[in-house]
Amino acid sequence: MANNSYSGVKNPAGEANHDGEFGCSLKELRALMELRGAEGINKVQECYGDVNGLCSRLKSSPVDGLTGQPADIDKRKAEFGQNFIPPKKPKTFLQLVWEALQDVTLIILEVAAIVSLGLSFYHPPDTTDAAGGVEDEGEAHAGWIEGAAILLSVICVVLVTAFNDWSKEKQFRGLQSRIEQEQKFTVVRSGQVIQIPVAEIVVGDIAQIKYGDLLPADGILIQGNDLKIDESSLTGESDHVKKTQEKDPMLLSGTHVMEGSGKMLVTAVGVNSQTGIIFTLLGAGDDEEDDEDDDEKKKEKEKKKEKKSEFLCPHLTHDNCAKAQDGAAMEMQPLNSDEGAEREEKRKANLPKKEKSVLQGKLTKLAVQIGKAGLVMSAITVIILVVLFAVDTFWLQELPWVKECTPIYIQFFVKFFIIGVTVLVVAVPEGLPLAVTISLAYSVKKMMKDNNLVRHLDACETMGNATAICSDKTGTLTMNRMTVVQAYIADKHYRRVPEPELVPSSIMDLLILGIGVNCAYTTKIMSPEKEGGLPRQVGNKTECALLGFALDLKRDYQAIRNEIPEERLYKVYTFNSVRKSMSTVLKNADGSFRMFSKGASEILLKKCYKILTASGEPKVFRPRDRDDMMKKVIEPMASEGLRTICLAYRDFPATDGEPDWDNETDILTSLTCMCVVGIEDPVRPEVPDAIRKCQRAGITVRMVTGDNINTARAIATKCGILQPGDEFLCLEGKEFNRRIRNEKGEIEQERIDKIWPKLRVLARSSPTDKHTLVKGIIDSTVIEQRQVVAVTGDGTNDGPALKKADVGFAMGIAGTDVAKEASDIILTDDNFSSIVKAVMWGRNVYDSISKFLQFQLTVNVVAVIVAFTGACITQDSPLKAVQMLWVNLIMDTFASLALATEPPTEALLLRKPYGRNKPLISRTMMKNILGHGVYQLTIIFTLLFAGERMFDIDSGRNTPLHAPPTEHYTIVFNTFVMMQLFNEINARKIHGERNVFEGIFNNLIFCSIVFGTFIIQIVIVQFGGKPFSCQGLTIDQWLWCIFLGFGCLLWGQVISSIPTSRLKFLKTAGHGTQKEEIPEEELDEMEDLDEIDHAERELRRGQILWFRGLNRIQTQMDVVSAFQSGTSFQGAVRRQPSSGSQHHDVTYVSSPSHVAFSTATAATASATVGCECVFP
């Protein structure tokens, strides 16, 4: 080995890189990684001799790794690239401004304002009477002000919108970089095993890979134990590929380690790795596609078939795509064959689809409906105004149409048109998507502090509706700090760890050797971080308990590991959910073998036929002895909530020759039991209280664990999942399977429906059982309301259950990369009580949006009716265009900020979940909306038609075209705004609560927005003048306006006194589209999607409509999707498709930037990414 250990950097750092620096170039390594299996081995042998030869060329050591000197690392980065894929550039502020300007209604307003401006400078000859009474010249000169003011307010709206989008994108990118920084990987440098950020990995590094890792770079296997890799993300093949130095040592970035462990030499990173190459292809295509014309896109579709073959064999370039007759391409063909496709479609048709963006879907549908109503109202307003003007001018006053007056008539028509557009502006609630986005973004930011790292925004909203949580036991409900507290050793059951002298030395030596070599070498006990603290446990916690047991027996396991390094282990059977045990084989000097095994006691004891006695000699262990041991040792340990582990060994004499190691059933039998230990994992102190809160909030908590049933039952009782005297079920995996399957062994939903409502604990369960249970609960129709299920998971094999669940929680500390990739939320502290916080935030999002809706719809109804009736009766809208835009700004942007940022309270956990089918606007909210609408309309119309008499001022009705603003209409406008301000306080409560001020000072944003709006309103009224059509008011008039506004709060108390149940005529609104209501043809279009995205579906339908805010909704969702479409390079290969949907393989690769691959694959991409919408 000495010949290839690396002896430091010979060239000084300043010297230029050239091909002689390292023994192989970037191009060679890239070409090497494109080969598979035997071809790869031949190439390595041909060019470098073996992997060690390649190591020495790369100036690395297979044992000690790189030196880690900064100069060397920098040189490698310069030569072979960094392990980083550059994200797409974010949109600049100016681009966002340009996007906001694309809004159809804003464009209409701009055009109208410019026409109005132009016409205001035209002065006809003496035909004043024909024009229907324009005031004197001084007033006519001020005609330009209104047009200019509209343009100014449009600019205001655009800037606010762009700023909102910009700050959201900035927030999301910040979150994304935090996720990236948190990802670390284990490498060997200078002989030390250290963890470094994924971006710091360089070519030549020796990386340690283990079960559950997502490989961050390409490499070649140096040493492996039982290594199996899931390469479906790159090849589409769902079978796990066995990796060995002899047959297939090529490891690719973005693939998952499903079993085993090993070491690899990193040979390609970042854009030069296999995943990076695909990203570069996609990324490049993306920018070009932006500039393409439509006919280019048609060509794109024709190229689709070509592309498909290129993506299916991502290691083939365009040139050799034609020669794709090698093994990989041949293997892929069945996936694309017709039969395969047919089978695929049948399988897909039977699968229930996961529904997502339910809240976004309901909101978009509501916005579309309101938009239609607004469009109709504004059209009618314009028609009525034009007709009334024509009738009045040309028929009643019998004035002739004078050619010179045409511009003035046009000016009138433009004014009417502006009024119509303004009605539309106010009618359409484009603040809705803004409220959702602000609320979700705010919640996501705050949830970080509550140890919830949200990866898909949808999850936050869905969590509020959760009705069931299926939780792991270890680490989530318990502390995941395991210690051996009891042991059965040498025929004696010790209630605490025995003194070393009580254990026969022969047993002791065997035991310590077994523990040392048969625990993963990555697991170790480190010295405590703080003096007097507990020792740090690194790696698998059960193994840490065993290593701690060795230390408690005053023996050093590390000495054994130094003597027998990992390379000398002859064969390792790593732990997996099928074996439920781990075994390591050592080869002795005389040619014999010894195998050490550890695993679940009831499973391993069945394979033991001898046991070590007090004398240190083995004696026969009969089934009767085993039953005795189960009753007297294992069950008492389990009933105290201890996990029992059996440690055993087996000798294979040299005379028998070498056994067939692949025949596991013959190998893992005839064991000799050394001891059984009881491992304690204490329940987290805060868990019982968190579970009580869940149960009070109407959420059922179930425990799904791999532990035995007695341990599981004991822990469930300690947590409060099981109460004494309850009639709930605790089942083992086998029994569960027996009950849910029919005679043919098929799972039947009816059978699951009989079990799940009562099931509270599922013990000795496999990941498949977990998936079956989650799917069974979600698909169940026993209860009228569809269940919304959250699942926690940490292992690689929890992936399917985490994906199937409505919300998947992965463990941030104990979780594997694969589990994190499949999840929606990562619990950074692995703690169950953080899930309760997520429920609270989820419900809060729902409530915040309902509050905003209640406020917004009240304003909408009132403003539209006032503008409409005012226009019809007085031929002029009482609220001018600029005033309407200001009201719109208060309503939409400010109110969504104020109401969407209410912090959650414990009271949210006192009610049952809403459920997916609950309408957004409840009957109580409808009562509030209509009730306040009636009050506001009464006040406005009273002021409009009797205000001049009440305040003894001139009437503002029927004023000429460019008349100065009147006090009358200013009072109407000011009162209207005051009522909105006080109603905003009312809107803080949506369940009919009396005290609307409760907790108001906890939300500083709300207070500052209400106060700020009030100050700006004073400025507008007193100093706004002509542009805002305002005339300064006296103190008395101001007090009246404020008093009438304050009346909203008093009226609110009256409304909440009326029981909703009495008002039978009230209807709910804002229902989501049920799956059953989706037309057949749309369902057919969704055939190849894994999920139904309600938000996107509603948007597609709404796109027929030309109305304000549609673009806005798109921008909002685009920003969200840009954030979601890639959380990091490590998350390169996003949530894996089910094995069925692999013919879309590369669509599942999502990059750190928002990449839409082509219009053809975009829809499929949207199905895989969190709450993403891809627009055609």
Side-chain angles (χ1 to χ4, degrees):
M1 284 286 189
N3 62 342
N4 47 18
S5 63
Y6 171 46
S7 55
V9 185
K10 296 184 182 105
N11 307 40
E15 217 172 289
N17 279 316
H18 52 81
D19 282 347
E21 186 75 53
F22 296 99
C24 43
S25 67
L26 172 63
K27 204 171 173 187
E28 281 173 37
L29 290 175
R30 258 180 87 150
L32 173 64
M33 290 320 293
E34 281 176 5
L35 304 172
R36 300 284 175 273
E39 290 181 4
I41 295 174
N42 295 342
K43 180 81 172 169
V44 171
Q45 287 169 349
E46 209 176 287
C47 300
Y48 314 107
D50 61 0
V51 182
N52 291 342
L54 181 57
C55 273
S56 57
R57 293 268 195 109
L58 287 172
K59 299 185 180 173
S60 178
S61 152
V63 179
D64 296 330
L66 299 177
T67 56
Q69 290 175 0
D72 176 40
I73 301 294
D74 292 343
K75 199 168 286 185
R76 287 171 192 275
K77 283 182 180 171
E79 179 82 20
F80 301 110
Q82 286 183 295
N83 197 21
F84 171 70
I85 293 179
K88 195 175 166 193
K89 285 191 180 76
K91 286 182 177 159
T92 61
F93 186 69
L94 286 176
Q95 280 173 309
L96 291 169
V97 167
W98 179 244
E99 270 180 20
L101 278 169
Q102 309 296 307
D103 195 327
V104 184
T105 23
L106 283 183
I107 293 172
I108 298 173
L109 267 182
E110 287 154 24
V111 171
I114 289 165
V115 171
S116 162
L117 256 180
L119 292 173
S120 66
F121 293 115
Y122 172 78
H123 299 298
D126 303 324
T127 46
T128 10
D129 38 336
V134 177
E135 288 253 323
D136 64 42
E137 253 174 57
E139 293 309 331
H141 282 311
W144 64 273
I145 292 179
E146 184 168 24
I150 291 179
L151 279 181
L152 203 74
S153 33
V154 165
I155 291 168
C156 232
V157 171
V158 165
L159 288 176
V160 169
T161 310
F163 179 74
N164 270 325
D165 289 345
W166 178 78
S167 58
K168 276 202 303 285
E169 193 154 341
K170 191 165 153 250
Q171 252 184 9
F172 288 154
R173 282 184 185 264
L175 178 64
Q176 188 175 321
S177 63
R178 166 159 174 190
I179 292 174
E180 276 172 25
Q181 284 157 10
E182 284 195 348
Q183 278 169 329
K184 293 200 156 79
F185 209 78
T186 312
V187 297
V188 181
R189 286 194 180 169
S190 303
Q192 295 293 311
V193 177
I194 55 167
Q195 283 208 320
I196 60 170
V198 166
E200 289 301 311
I201 292 174
V202 291
V203 169
D205 256 323
I206 303 297
Q208 285 199 345
I209 56 176
K210 61 181 187 309
Y211 155 88
D213 283 343
L214 186 90
L215 298 185
D218 291 354
I220 296 178
L221 188 66
I222 297 176
Q223 176 260 324
N225 304 319
D226 209 11
L227 195 62
K228 286 186 184 162
I229 306 279
D230 173 8
E231 294 188 345
S232 59
S233 52
L234 288 183
T235 63
E237 289 295 324
S238 56
D239 294 340
H240 297 167
V241 183
K242 197 164 179 156
K243 296 285 180 183
T244 57
Q245 291 102 301
E246 299 76 41
K247 289 187 182 159
D248 184 3
M250 311 310 252
L251 299 169
L252 306 174
S253 59
T255 58
H256 294 130
V257 182
M258 300 311 279
E259 252 182 63
S261 61
K263 282 183 183 174
M264 75 168 184
L265 167 69
V266 176
T267 52
V269 293
V271 286
N272 300 309
S273 67
Q274 289 303 298
T275 307
I277 292 168
I278 295 175
F279 276 160
T280 326
L281 286 172
L282 298 176
D286 186 46
D287 292 336
E288 287 159 24
E289 201 175 297
D290 289 347
D291 310 327
E292 280 175 0
D293 297 321
D294 284 7
D295 41 288
E296 287 287 322
K297 286 189 180 167
K298 281 175 199 159
K299 286 183 199 166
E300 187 75 27
K301 280 185 183 167
E302 288 161 29
K303 286 189 212 160
K304 205 169 84 177
K305 288 175 189 167
E306 243 180 86
K307 273 200 170 184
K308 201 165 204 175
S309 59
E310 177 197 321
F311 281 156
L312 285 171
C313 329
H315 53 281
L316 300 180
T317 55
H318 280 284
D319 310 328
N320 57 10
C321 221
K323 304 172 199 156
Q325 293 308 314
D326 65 39
M330 295 301 288
E331 276 174 9
M332 306 296 316
Q333 282 172 358
L335 274 173
N336 279 342
S337 69
D338 295 339
E339 290 166 41
E342 275 171 38
R343 260 206 318 275
E344 185 60 32
E345 274 168 32
K346 278 183 196 159
R347 201 190 65 74
K348 281 223 127 128
N350 301 333
L351 279 182
K353 291 179 169 36
K354 182 167 169 179
E355 301 175 67
K356 61 194 190 73
S357 324
V358 179
L359 178 65
Q360 295 274 46
K362 287 180 186 175
L363 281 170
T364 316
K365 187 174 181 182
L366 192 67
V368 171
Q369 287 167 343
I370 297 171
K372 285 178 182 168
L375 204 57
V376 171
M377 288 289 272
S378 61
I380 295 174
T381 311
V382 174
I383 293 166
I384 288 177
L385 284 170
V386 171
V387 169
L388 280 176
F389 173 75
V391 167
D392 184 50
T393 310
F394 303 118
W395 190 39
L396 296 178
Q397 295 185 31
E398 296 178 356
L399 292 172
W401 180 293
V402 183
K403 197 178 174 190
E404 284 81 8
C405 287
T406 306
I408 292 192
Y409 296 138
I410 292 175
Q411 218 168 327
F412 268 104
F413 292 143
V414 168
K415 177 186 169 185
F416 299 150
F417 184 65
I418 289 177
I419 292 171
V421 173
T422 321
V423 171
L424 179 61
V425 168
V426 177
V428 174
E430 78 278 20
L432 275 187
L434 185 66
V436 182
T437 321
I438 289 177
S439 181
L440 286 174
Y442 170 77
S443 303
V444 165
K445 205 171 166 190
K446 293 286 186 190
M447 281 169 82
M448 296 275 270
K449 290 181 183 159
D450 285 339
N451 303 308
N452 282 288
L453 194 114
V454 181
R455 296 179 71 246
H456 301 120
L457 282 185
D458 268 22
C460 182
E461 138 213 340
T462 313
M463 216 31 229
N465 291 328
T467 56
I469 298 174
C470 295
S471 172
D472 274 355
K473 175 181 76 71
T474 309
T476 315
L477 300 172
T478 59
M479 289 170 79
N480 202 13
R481 186 178 174 86
M482 303 207 184
T483 40
V484 172
V485 290
Q486 294 188 24
Y488 180 87
I489 191 165
D491 279 348
K492 191 159 183 217
H493 183 177
Y494 294 95
R495 293 281 170 178
R496 56 172 66 88
V497 177
E499 291 301 317
E501 49 274 13
L502 297 174
V503 182
S505 59
S506 58
I507 297 183
M508 179 72 95
D509 294 341
L510 262 177
L511 188 61
I512 303 302
L513 177 63
I515 289 174
V517 297
N518 194 30
C519 287
Y521 278 44
T522 47
T523 303
K524 43 188 177 285
I525 304 273
M526 315 265 284
S527 50
E529 283 177 347
K530 295 185 189 127
E531 264 189 68
L534 292 166
R536 274 183 303 152
Q537 296 187 338
V538 179
N540 180 301
K541 297 297 189 265
T542 310
E543 293 185 336
C544 286
L546 294 173
L547 296 177
F549 179 51
L551 296 174
D552 290 344
L553 292 171
K554 312 283 188 289
R555 299 294 281 271
D556 181 16
Y557 67 87
Q558 195 55 49
I560 290 167
R561 289 184 170 185
N562 295 342
E563 193 183 317
I564 308 172
E566 202 169 1
E567 293 77 31
R568 278 189 48 204
L569 302 179
Y570 192 76
K571 171 92 181 141
V572 179
Y573 297 96
T574 50
F575 179 88
N576 66 26
S577 55
V578 180
R579 287 188 190 123
K580 293 245 188 262
S581 67
M582 172 179 173
S583 308
T584 302
V585 181
L586 298 177
K587 187 171 186 178
N588 300 327
D590 61 357
S592 63
F593 298 93
R594 173 169 281 168
M595 176 177 80
F596 290 101
S597 294
K598 67 170 193 294
S601 53
E602 62 265 47
I603 292 170
L604 266 200
L605 282 175
K606 285 179 185 163
K607 297 175 179 176
C608 289
Y609 82 130
K610 284 184 180 174
I611 186 163
L612 296 180
T613 58
S615 63
E617 293 303 314
K619 72 164 186 188
V620 178
F621 187 59
R622 297 185 185 82
R624 192 176 62 242
D625 302 330
R626 186 173 68 235
D627 295 341
D628 271 359
M629 192 162 169
M630 292 294 287
K631 280 198 186 74
K632 292 179 181 166
V633 178
I634 288 164
E635 283 177 15
M637 281 186 184
S639 61
E640 290 175 39
L642 303 185
R643 166 182 278 188
T644 57
I645 299 284
C646 172
L647 301 167
Y649 75 98
R650 177 182 176 184
D651 284 325
F652 298 91
T655 49
D656 295 356
E658 185 164 345
D660 173 10
W661 298 115
D662 291 335
N663 186 350
E664 278 187 48
T665 40
D666 286 356
I667 299 289
L668 204 64
T669 181
S670 309
L671 303 175
T672 304
C673 173
M674 294 188 281
C675 83
V676 172
V677 293
I679 296 177
E680 182 184 43
D681 184 10
V683 170
R684 289 178 181 267
E686 62 276 17
V687 160
D689 186 44
I691 287 179
R692 262 198 308 280
K693 282 181 186 165
C694 279
Q695 289 164 342
R696 198 172 56 218
I699 301 168
T700 310
V701 182
R702 293 181 176 82
M703 183 162 98
V704 184
T705 176
D707 249 345
N708 83 40
I709 191 146
N710 296 325
T711 310
R713 197 182 276 121
I715 299 279
T717 311
K718 283 183 188 172
C719 292
I721 292 174
L722 292 175
Q723 304 289 347
D726 281 346
E727 288 180 17
F728 291 130
L729 285 176
C730 295
L731 294 180
E732 280 198 336
K734 274 185 188 167
E735 174 64 10
F736 173 69
N737 273 302
R738 192 183 63 72
R739 291 198 190 189
I740 62 169
R741 291 174 192 273
N742 59 18
E743 299 71 43
K744 293 177 188 167
E746 295 161 344
I747 296 171
E748 285 186 357
Q749 185 63 41
E750 300 80 63
R751 288 170 181 253
I752 298 181
D753 288 345
K754 285 179 190 160
I755 292 175
W756 75 258
K758 290 240 165 167
L759 183 70
R760 290 295 177 273
V761 175
L762 186 57
R764 278 282 173 254
S765 65
S766 68
T768 327
D769 297 338
K770 193 178 198 173
H771 182 260
T772 308
L773 176 65
V774 171
K775 185 176 180 302
I777 298 178
I778 289 177
D779 296 348
S780 175
T781 49
V782 186
I783 297 174
E784 181 188 344
Q785 195 168 305
R786 145 144 154 52
Q787 294 282 299
V788 177
V789 184
V791 166
T792 69
D794 53 6
T796 303
N797 34 29
D798 287 329
L802 287 170
K803 265 191 285 191
K804 178 66 194 168
D806 295 288
V807 182
F809 285 91
M811 301 298 134
I813 303 166
T816 58
D817 293 339
V818 180
K820 290 177 188 173
E821 281 306 308
S823 69
D824 301 292
I825 297 178
I826 296 173
L827 294 179
T828 49
D829 63 346
D830 288 14
N831 193 337
F832 185 84
S833 56
S834 303
I835 299 178
V836 182
K837 300 248 177 69
V839 172
M840 220 154 83
W841 278 106
R843 292 186 173 191
N844 193 52
V845 165
Y846 220 90
D847 279 8
S848 297
I849 286 155
S850 295
K851 289 170 189 175
F852 173 69
L853 261 176
Q854 180 175 306
F855 172 71
Q856 165 123 38
L857 293 182
T858 311
V859 191
N860 274 18
V861 169
V862 175
V864 170
I865 293 177
V866 166
F868 177 72
T869 44
C872 298
I873 297 168
T874 66
Q875 291 166 42
D876 184 10
S877 169
L879 297 171
K880 300 292 181 283
V882 179
Q883 295 174 351
M884 289 276 224
L885 283 170
W886 162 237
V887 169
N888 205 38
L889 202 64
I890 307 177
M891 281 184 350
D892 284 352
T893 312
F894 294 161
S896 59
L897 249 178
L899 291 168
T901 52
E902 287 271 311
T905 59
E906 289 278 334
L908 288 167
L909 295 174
L910 298 175
R911 62 170 176 77
K912 297 280 178 274
Y914 282 145
R916 288 196 155 222
N917 308 339
K918 180 190 179 292
L920 277 174
I921 301 168
S922 63
R923 292 179 65 214
T924 309
M925 285 167 64
M926 195 57 97
K927 176 183 76 176
N928 292 343
I929 292 169
L930 295 177
H932 285 292
V934 166
Y935 171 81
Q936 294 189 13
L937 285 171
T938 310
I939 299 289
I940 295 287
F941 284 135
T942 308
L943 288 176
L944 192 57
F945 298 110
E948 70 274 25
R949 291 196 294 280
M950 287 162 60
F951 289 101
D952 193 21
I953 46 178
D954 293 337
S955 166
R957 293 189 300 282
N958 303 323
T959 48
L961 184 60
H962 291 304
T966 61
E967 280 180 290
H968 182 197
Y969 271 20
T970 306
I971 290 175
V972 172
F973 165 60
N974 198 25
T975 309
F976 180 66
V977 172
M978 288 302 126
M979 289 195 292
Q980 302 326 322
L981 277 186
F982 285 102
N983 195 30
E984 202 164 331
I985 298 172
N986 268 332
R988 291 183 66 250
K989 303 291 173 196
I990 49 172
H991 298 298
E993 297 94 329
R994 290 251 176 218
N995 183 3
V996 291
F997 290 101
E998 187 188 349
I1000 192 165
F1001 294 113
N1002 295 343
N1003 188 356
L1004 286 175
I1005 301 179
F1006 182 88
C1007 299
S1008 45
I1009 282 180
V1010 170
F1011 186 69
T1013 312
F1014 182 65
I1015 299 296
I1016 298 173
Q1017 180 64 16
I1018 294 176
V1019 173
I1020 287 176
V1021 169
Q1022 296 305 103
F1023 309 106
K1026 182 79 182 162
F1028 278 96
S1029 311
C1030 285
Q1031 172 83 38
L1033 300 180
T1034 63
I1035 289 286
D1036 283 4
Q1037 290 166 337
W1038 261 104
L1039 288 174
W1040 271 107
C1041 292
I1042 293 171
F1043 172 71
L1044 291 172
F1046 182 75
C1048 271
L1049 290 176
L1050 304 175
W1051 183 248
Q1053 295 299 316
V1054 175
I1055 293 176
S1056 48
S1057 309
I1058 304 168
T1060 314
S1061 51
R1062 291 279 174 83
L1063 307 172
K1064 296 277 186 269
F1065 61 88
L1066 287 178
K1067 295 276 184 286
T1068 55
H1071 295 265
T1073 308
Q1074 300 305 313
K1075 204 154 50 170
E1076 297 74 50
E1077 295 169 27
I1078 299 176
E1080 283 296 316
E1081 39 304 352
E1082 276 195 55
L1083 273 174
D1084 292 345
E1085 283 172 32
M1086 298 183 202
E1087 191 85 348
D1088 44 351
L1089 302 188
D1090 279 358
E1091 307 169 307
I1092 298 173
D1093 189 324
H1094 286 282
E1096 184 182 349
R1097 202 185 141 271
E1098 293 300 344
L1099 254 183
R1100 286 251 165 84
R1101 294 180 57 215
Q1103 264 174 341
I1104 311 152
L1105 247 188
W1106 229 37
F1107 75 83
R1108 175 186 176 80
L1110 191 64
N1111 309 41
R1112 190 77 54 84
I1113 295 174
Q1114 290 190 0
T1115 318
Q1116 305 289 341
M1117 289 191 152
D1118 272 343
V1119 173
V1120 174
S1121 60
F1123 156 61
Q1124 301 211 320
S1125 59
T1127 342
S1128 66
F1129 167 48
Q1130 172 98 24
V1133 186
R1134 171 56 102 223
R1135 308 175 142 216
Q1136 290 313 319
S1138 57
S1139 55
S1141 43
Q1142 270 136 8
H1143 55 292
H1144 295 301
D1145 43 34
V1146 184
T1147 357
Y1148 290 89
V1149 178
S1150 73
S1151 78
S1153 57
H1154 181 43
V1155 180
F1157 321 142
S1158 71
T1159 40
T1161 51
T1164 329
S1166 76
T1168 40
V1169 179
C1171 130
E1172 172 169 298
C1173 273
V1174 179
F1175 295 94

